[in-house]
Structures are given as structure tokens and as C-alpha cells.
Amino acid sequence: MQPTGDLRGDTVHVGGDARQRFYDSRGYGRPLGGNDIALSRIEAAHLLFRGDLAGVTLDGDDDGAATDPVGFERFFVDSAAAVDRFAVRYLVYADLRDRGFYLSPARDPWPGGRVDVADAVDVVAYERGSTPDTGNVRHPVRVVGERESIPAGDVAGQTLAVVDEESDITYFEAESANVEGSTDYEPPADLAGVLLADRVVVWDAPSDLYEHGFYGQPLTGRAAAVEGALQLSLVEATSLAADGSLRLTEVVDDGGGENGSETLDTGDDPASAAAAIVARGRAVEGDRFDRRLATYRDLRDRRTVPKTGFKFGADFRTYLDVETVEDLPHSEHLVRVVEPGHAFAPRELSLDVRLAGGVRKELLFALVDGSDRVDDGATAGIEWLSIGRLTP
């Protein structure tokens, strides 16, 4: 005969041989002393669903009289009314249990509370073969409904379990990332360019700038009579100017957009060139330019080559090791630049991850605080976050 439980507040107490039956053998609940254990509502619901508990006695009625034990259906509805996000959390708990994991709530006094995880983590899943006693945590699980938002700044180190409207679950792994490349190229120090509306043209660019440094895009064509002309994006041009490699010989104001009212320093030195290009970048793109510039500079400092990720819906794609454009490897990452306070919409996150996986690239987010703007694109620091699909 299966035991019954007694709901006391938000926990279900079970006596008899409950410790041996549920905690010692299968990792449910926490010991209370003797053979009694306490179950969270989700654990109790799962045992009711499996038929391992005969029922749970709810709180007394309005007269204080004890009620008869209820089954899974009544207990589930009662818990969904009493506990925030109970339904989606239960679905994830049951799914991971079916996959062979032992789990416990990630808060004291439950076993999972011994793990140093963020408050937003709902449950911890232990390595297969591990129990709450051994404490080998494999997945700190944060449960998210399809219509909830996910703050970008506090998801590193978590397993995201997103439950959609049809109760299907998609798992994502969010980790801090360390991007390091091995591209070895130093640009020349005597580049001269013209600032146009939203790009810089270097008329006599050395071939190495593109062929080995992978800067810019050549102006080419079948009938071209001009050689050495290279178009640089504003972030590429600012980075080169900030490093002392690029000066401006001319600033063209075409009167289009907001940059028609800009007053730009056209001094013939790299520092003033960097300031002029940054001013143009802010005019055409706003504060987002500073965040993208800081990310570009950081990636170059890490000896990677960032190029536009427009075709993939990202800010950049990256190449870790470029020796020559003629023998260019596949890009390894797609990079999206966001603020630390950015919140992911699960639907958009799923789309980004799916696209990156479809083109065999890792999805990275650069969390850039744009409050301290510096004309060369320097920042106090960038937090790098990697998010990918996971099959637990």
C-alpha cells in the first residue's frame, strides 16, 4: 500500500518508511528526522502522478476539520493556484526526472540550497548516478515560460528550460565565454582615407590590409581602372585611427540624415580622425555605435577578425585565425551586442540560437556598458556570454 502525505504550508510531510522509499533510493525530498521526509509541492505532485503516493491531505476546511487525501488532479490545481509558475516548473521537473536525473529545489533547506547558484535558479539536476547527498550538480535549471523575459546579465552558468504554450520544453546552456584568436597582423601606420556618409574609403590601401588583415572591402569590378581602393566600415576605420594607423584627408558632408548638421574635426592626425569618425558613427547609429565599436576593438585585441554579421542577423561574425583571405576559414562565431540590462525574449533567443546552429557557428552576446563612452572605443569591460541548444 502506498503512503499518503500531509500538506503543511508549502511542503508535504510523509512518514512511515518514506526516507528509505523516496529519499535514500530516489533522491526525493529532504530528511526531517527518523524516517519522515518533507517534499516540495513539485516533488509530491510527481510522486502522485506516478502512483507512488496514494494521496495528499490538504489544509483543513473552513471549520478546521481535516480533509480526505486528494489525488494528482486536485493537488496539481491547488498547487498551481498557490505557487507562482507551478505548472511550467512541474513540467520541467517531470521531464528531467524522466531523463534519469535526480533533482532538488535550489534553496535552503533543500539539498540543492547547498549549491552556489543564482536566486533565479529553480532546481538543480545532479549528474546521472549522483544523489543530493553527493552534491555533484550537472544543471542549475532556470525555468522560463515562453512569454517571460530573461535578463541577459544574470544567466551565465545556468541551464534555461523554456516551456512553450504547447508544453514542449527547449533547453539552452548559457555560459561565460572566452574568445581568443591567433591572427597575427599589424596594419601599416600611414593610411589616409576620406570619410563619407557612413564609411571611409582608403584610395591607396596596401594589399596586405585586406588580404592578411581582412580589413574592409575592395572597390572592384570587371572594368575597374582603379586599384588599391578599399572601403572601411566606421568601426573598422575608428579602430585603425585609434591605433594610430589612419588619418583623414577629407570629410565629406553629403547633407543626408543627421550627419548633415555635424561639425567634424578634419585635423590631419589619427586622434582627430578617430574623433571625427566616432562623431559620424554616433550621428548615424546613436549610442549603439559605441557598444559595437567597443566590441570590435575587444575582438581585435583578442587577435580575432570581426566582420559584419548582417547576413546572419548579427552584429559581427568572427574569424579566429586569418592568414590570407584567399584561404579564409569558416567564421566560428556570431556576435550580438547588447546592454547589460538587456532582456531576452525566449522566442527571439530561440531564433538566434537556431540560426547560429544552422550555419555551424557559436552564438555569443557581448554585454557592453555604454555609459562610459571613449572616443577610441575603450570600455571598462565586456561580459561575453555564449548560449546554445542543449539536450540534457
Side-chain angles (χ1 to χ4, degrees), residues 16-27:
D17 62 349
R19 174 162 183 157
Q20 293 87 350
R21 183 191 293 251
F22 298 127
Y23 180 77
D24 291 341
S25 63
R26 290 186 282 167

Side-chain angles (χ1 to χ4, degrees), residues 3-5 12 39 41-56 70-76 90:
T4 61
V12 175
L39 300 169
R41 280 184 180 259
I42 289 175
E43 292 173 311
H46 191 243
L47 289 172
L48 282 169
F49 184 79
R50 289 172 50 88
D52 293 330
L53 278 182
V56 172
V70 301
F72 173 79
E73 296 89 344
R74 172 65 189 282
F75 184 78
F76 187 91
Y90 172 80

Side-chain angles (χ1 to χ4, degrees), residues 180 239 243 294-304:
E180 296 293 341
S239 184
D243 288 338
T295 303
Y296 181 92
R297 295 275 284 158
D298 189 66
L299 287 169
R300 280 285 182 180
D301 287 344
R302 293 170 180 269
R303 298 177 67 193
T304 72

Side-chain angles (χ1 to χ4, degrees), residues 83-308:
V83 180
D84 182 46
R85 299 163 53 250
F86 176 84
V88 292
R89 290 166 60 201
Y90 172 80
L91 290 169
V92 172
Y93 181 92
D95 181 70
L96 289 172
R97 272 282 180 176
D98 289 345
R99 293 172 184 263
F101 290 98
Y102 289 172
L103 303 98
S104 64
R107 56 184 173 83
D108 289 329
W110 304 93
R114 297 195 297 263
V115 185
D116 184 17
V117 295
D119 291 340
V121 171
D122 293 283
V123 294
V124 293
Y126 300 92
E127 292 179 353
R128 288 185 175 87
S130 298
T131 67
D133 279 335
T134 61
N136 296 321
V137 174
R138 177 64 184 90
H139 298 292
V141 183
R142 179 175 186 161
V143 181
V144 182
E146 176 186 344
R147 297 175 181 85
E148 297 179 61
S149 60
I150 308 169
D154 70 345
V155 299
Q158 298 174 18
T159 296
L160 305 176
V162 180
V163 184
D164 68 22
E165 64 180 0
E166 294 184 352
S167 299
D168 284 335
I169 304 169
T170 303
Y171 293 95
F172 301 97
E173 190 168 34
E175 298 180 313
S176 296
N178 182 29
V179 186
E180 296 293 341
S182 57
T183 301
D184 187 15
Y185 176 78
E186 290 294 332
D190 57 352
L191 301 173
V194 176
L195 175 60
L196 303 178
D198 62 352
R199 65 205 63 220
V200 170
V201 176
V202 178
W203 294 116
D204 297 312
S207 60
D208 276 2
L209 188 62
Y210 174 74
E211 292 296 334
H212 296 288
F214 206 8
Y215 283 94
Q217 182 71 26
L219 275 170
T220 60
R222 291 183 178 179
V226 176
E227 295 183 0
L230 192 68
Q231 299 180 86
L232 299 171
S233 71
L234 293 180
V235 291
E236 289 176 313
T238 304
S239 184
L240 287 168
D243 288 338
S245 294
L246 174 67
R247 59 187 176 85
L248 295 179
T249 59
E250 188 177 1
V251 175
V252 177
D253 183 355
D254 65 358
E258 295 183 7
N259 63 8
S261 61
E262 290 291 314
T263 301
L264 303 177
D265 186 352
T266 60
D268 190 28
D269 69 272
S272 61
I277 303 167
V278 166
R280 180 63 59 84
R282 291 171 181 167
V284 300
E285 198 173 344
D287 290 341
R288 183 170 173 270
F289 178 78
D290 288 85
R291 292 191 292 273
R292 290 202 314 116
L293 174 60
T295 303
Y296 181 92
R297 295 275 284 158
D298 189 66
L299 287 169
R300 280 285 182 180
D301 287 344
R302 293 170 180 269
R303 298 177 67 193
T304 72
V305 176
K307 299 293 287 185
T308 179

